[in-house]
Amino acid sequence: MTTIPNPAANIGRATLGFLADVGRLAVFLARSVGAIFSPPFYFGNQLRQMLSVGYYSLPVVGLTALFTGAVLAQQIYIGTGRFDAESTVPTIVVFGITRELGPVIASLMVAGRVSAAMAAELGTMRVTEQIDALTTLATNPFRYLIAPRILAATLMMPLLVLISDIIGVMGGWLLSTTVLNYNSIGYLQRSLDFMETWDVVSGLIKAGIFGFILSLMGCYQGFNSSGGAQGVGRATTNAVVSASILILAANYAVTSIVFTD
Amino acid sequence: MAQPKLSLRGVCKRFGRKVVLDGLDLDIMAGESVVIIGGSGTGKSVMLKCVLGLLQPDAGDIFVDGEEITRLKGHEREKMLRRFGMLFQGGALFDSIRVWRNVAFGLISAQGMKRKDARRHADEILAKVGLGPEVGDLSPAELSGGMRKRVALARAIATNPEILFFDEPTTGLDPIMADVINELIVERVRDLGATALTITHDMASARKVADRIGMLYGGKIIWIGPAADIERSGNPYVDQFIHGRAEGPISMDVQRL
Ligand SMILES: Nc1ncnc2c1ncn2[C@@H]1O[C@H](COP(=O)(O)OP(=O)(O)OP(=O)(O)O)[C@@H](O)[C@H]1O
Ligand SMILES: [Mg+2]
């Protein structure tokens, strides 16, 4: 006889599981932030993580920004053409890139790279008892492993997004001047004329938040993985998926609540 | 009676419904070398991890020099852990840093030794486990299984800790190298006054390094006594184990075909 699962019990179980997860994540977050602000600091690890998050993500982030900027210009050209407002293309491209697409797309790309790498690395360290070994060598794994990663991502994402903003706008410019026959100087002039500092700054603040989220998820999933190679694989997938969803959710929340002007 | 260096009192640990340690008692005196034998999966590694706080025991107390340690936190715990050296069964080498940095890890991070001194120190300890200084420049992934074990041993003893845990130090080594390692453990205890707790399946190694041998079965130490008495323990479980007989009171859960 097969038993039909009771949906209410399932919902209850899922809710309890979810709450337990939220609780665990909150504890993890508190310990991570505590580790960021309390010595000893491991500068070698910090530097290595900043390099890995910042420098090595440049090609990926740069390329996506270039294509995103170009396609944005193309679409806005079509859209604004419907009411003879093609002259607004540069302004809207800058607006869209700096406030939304720059931070969001760069963070999603970096989540795919960095969250996954963090989860896989820490997960392997967990299942091969390297994290236990670290503890027995009287070294706090939160200070040695987690803090440098989260700090690196939080600091480097704004920098990456600033570069990605520039490349994105240049992508739009490239397409507009080569394919759409815009005047080169005029396009750049219009891009800057209507740009406000806040457009860029709000995007960079978002980037910092997203960097924090994507590294937190990578570290959390990796640090708590169990069950051999399969467990590490699961941790990696969970890290990327949860980081991506949280980034998009946080983007909505931040944009609609904080950055309303 | 003198106070034991390390004392486990009624330690219990279960995973889900599976009871691994069931009220385990064990006393180890300062400067003593105790070997624990026992079947695979009986909880020997779990016992060590409970002492080190890597696993939280469900019940029971653990004392080091009379001080209860299971509830230590933060800096107190780190200070206590500095007194321990642990060789993990699987080595647990940090594979993102080179071998010599692995060996010198405790010296650099916990004792704040200078990099250059630490390197020299690491080379000396590597030599003790039969590895040349060129091995120090390799990454752990480039080592053979036996080399990994020896590097892990070198890392465990590098800071000269008072209490040493060796989880199967000779498994996977050739007999000659195994004996070198046994000698090294004996030397640590005899010459440096360390207290050692070794887990092994290798009876030759047990006889060589142990002052006392104990057997873990059913979550408890069912027999413990001087190494010389192991042959005439009068305990059928111990007899079956040291003679490696399939027949006896210990039933292996294997399917008979
Ligand atoms: N983290 C864990 N989660 C769940 N079960 C565990 C965990 N660690 C150990 N166990 C279980 O506890 C039991 C004892 O494991 P332990 O590693 O201590 O065995 P052991 O005596 O060291 O064996 P071996 O000689 O093979 O190393 C095993 O049945 C194992 O499945
Ligand atoms: Mg074991």
Side-chain angles (χ1 to χ4, degrees):
Chain A
M1 195 191 99
T2 55
T3 53
I4 299 164
N6 177 349
N10 274 345
I11 293 172
R13 224 184 336 265
T15 311
L16 283 180
F18 176 74
L19 289 178
D21 277 341
V22 170
R24 263 196 297 274
L25 182 60
V27 171
F28 186 89
L29 184 135
R31 294 189 67 181
S32 307
V33 173
I36 291 176
F37 293 108
S38 63
F41 305 108
Y42 297 94
F43 295 106
N45 290 7
Q46 188 63 59
L47 220 64
R48 201 162 326 118
Q49 290 305 324
M50 289 174 82
L51 213 61
S52 142
V53 176
Y55 186 70
Y56 292 110
S57 297
L58 268 178
V60 177
V61 168
L63 275 176
T64 35
L66 188 70
F67 289 124
T68 309
V71 85
L72 196 63
Q74 176 79 62
Q75 296 283 38
I76 292 171
Y77 176 74
I78 298 169
T80 50
R82 292 188 185 152
F83 44 91
D84 297 325
E86 290 100 329
S87 62
T88 58
V89 167
T91 313
I92 300 178
V93 166
V94 167
F95 190 84
I97 293 269
T98 53
R99 293 185 72 117
E100 277 301 318
L101 293 173
V104 171
I105 292 188
S107 301
L108 290 178
M109 294 308 290
V110 175
R113 249 193 102 246
V114 171
S115 302
M118 287 178 179
E121 199 179 343
L122 295 180
T124 306
M125 291 190 76
R126 166 63 72 197
V127 301
T128 56
E129 298 182 323
Q130 290 178 55
I131 293 180
D132 286 345
L134 204 60
T135 309
T136 57
L137 288 163
T139 301
N140 182 331
F142 276 87
R143 291 205 191 98
Y144 189 79
L145 297 172
I146 311 286
R149 285 173 166 78
I150 293 184
L151 194 58
T154 310
L155 295 178
M156 296 315 280
M157 269 322 288
L159 213 62
L160 272 174
V161 167
L162 185 63
I163 296 170
S164 135
D165 283 351
I166 295 168
I167 297 178
V169 170
M170 293 323 281
W173 168 81
L174 205 65
L175 183 114
S176 305
T177 50
T178 52
V179 182
L180 306 177
N181 296 320
Y182 277 79
N183 171 275
S184 177
I185 306 285
Y187 184 98
L188 289 179
Q189 194 61 51
R190 278 194 83 83
S191 294
L192 295 175
D193 276 351
F194 293 97
M195 190 180 85
E196 288 178 19
T197 316
W198 182 241
D199 296 336
V200 179
V201 171
S202 70
L204 298 188
I205 294 173
K206 278 185 184 181
I209 296 170
F210 300 161
F212 182 83
I213 290 175
L214 68 91
S215 55
L216 181 74
M217 294 323 289
C219 291
Y220 174 73
Q221 296 289 349
F223 198 78
N224 291 304
S225 69
S226 62
Q230 220 176 10
V232 176
R234 202 164 41 232
T236 309
T237 314
N238 287 347
V240 178
V241 172
S242 57
S244 305
I245 292 172
L246 278 177
I247 284 171
L248 293 173
N251 182 46
Y252 174 75
V254 169
T255 309
S256 62
I257 297 166
V258 189
F259 297 157
T260 45
D261 56 337
Chain B
M1 201 179 105
Q3 189 179 55
K5 188 80 184 171
L6 175 66
S7 178
L8 286 76
R9 285 276 156 268
V11 174
C12 296
K13 181 69 193 174
R14 60 163 76 200
F15 295 104
R17 233 173 270 142
K18 183 184 177 107
V19 177
V20 178
L21 301 180
D22 187 15
L24 182 139
D25 293 320
L26 178 66
D27 285 312
I28 303 178
M29 307 308 289
E32 189 184 27
S33 169
V34 169
V35 166
I36 298 294
I37 56 173
S40 199
T42 49
K44 304 183 297 298
S45 300
V46 167
M47 175 181 75
L48 297 187
K49 285 182 189 165
C50 283
V51 175
L52 295 169
L54 300 173
L55 292 171
Q56 190 65 35
D58 301 323
D61 297 303
I62 297 168
F63 301 91
V64 174
D65 285 331
E67 186 197 357
E68 217 290 322
I69 62 165
T70 53
R71 278 170 280 280
L72 290 185
K73 291 252 180 318
H75 280 294
E76 294 292 303
R77 170 159 291 281
E78 275 175 27
K79 224 167 72 195
M80 193 272 302
L81 283 169
R82 286 201 186 118
R83 303 167 64 184
F84 285 84
M86 164 85 174
L87 162 67
F88 284 84
Q89 190 169 1
L93 298 179
F94 305 128
D95 42 32
S96 60
I97 55 180
R98 278 181 290 166
V99 165
W100 80 265
R101 290 251 291 140
N102 264 279
V103 175
F105 196 93
L107 298 170
I108 295 174
S109 81
Q111 297 188 356
M113 191 184 273
K114 290 244 163 47
R115 217 181 143 88
K116 220 160 129 206
D117 298 335
R119 171 81 217 226
R120 195 163 34 74
H121 215 86
D123 284 346
E124 278 168 25
I125 300 159
L126 281 171
K128 285 200 175 127
V129 295
L131 297 170
E134 70 284 355
V135 176
D137 287 317
L138 300 177
S139 104
E142 296 171 291
L143 303 178
S144 78
M147 286 161 91
R148 293 179 69 90
K149 190 127 258 183
R150 285 185 277 157
V151 172
L153 183 84
R155 186 177 67 184
I157 64 175
T159 54
N160 277 331
E162 299 162 53
I163 306 171
L164 288 164
F165 288 173
F166 301 114
D167 198 346
E168 309 203 2
T170 57
T171 313
L173 298 182
D174 65 79
I176 301 168
M177 194 41 75
D179 205 52
V180 170
I181 298 303
N182 290 336
E183 295 276 356
L184 193 73
I185 295 173
V186 171
E187 176 200 297
R188 288 278 138 178
V189 177
R190 197 166 299 152
D191 302 347
L192 297 174
T195 306
L197 174 55
T198 307
I199 284 166
T200 190
H201 293 132
D202 171 0
M203 287 313 297
S205 168
R207 287 191 185 89
K208 178 132 194 181
V209 305
D211 296 320
R212 286 191 299 152
I213 301 182
M215 174 151 173
L216 179 60
Y217 182 78
K220 294 186 177 71
I221 303 289
I222 54 162
W223 183 86
I224 185 159
D229 292 354
I230 187 94
E231 301 293 344
R232 35 200 170 78
S233 63
N235 186 307
Y237 292 90
V238 176
D239 276 342
Q240 186 192 349
F241 189 86
I242 64 173
H243 295 114
R245 286 193 288 259
E247 304 299 324
I250 306 172
S251 62
M252 289 281 159
D253 293 330
V254 287
Q255 204 110 48
R256 305 264 164 186
L257 292 179

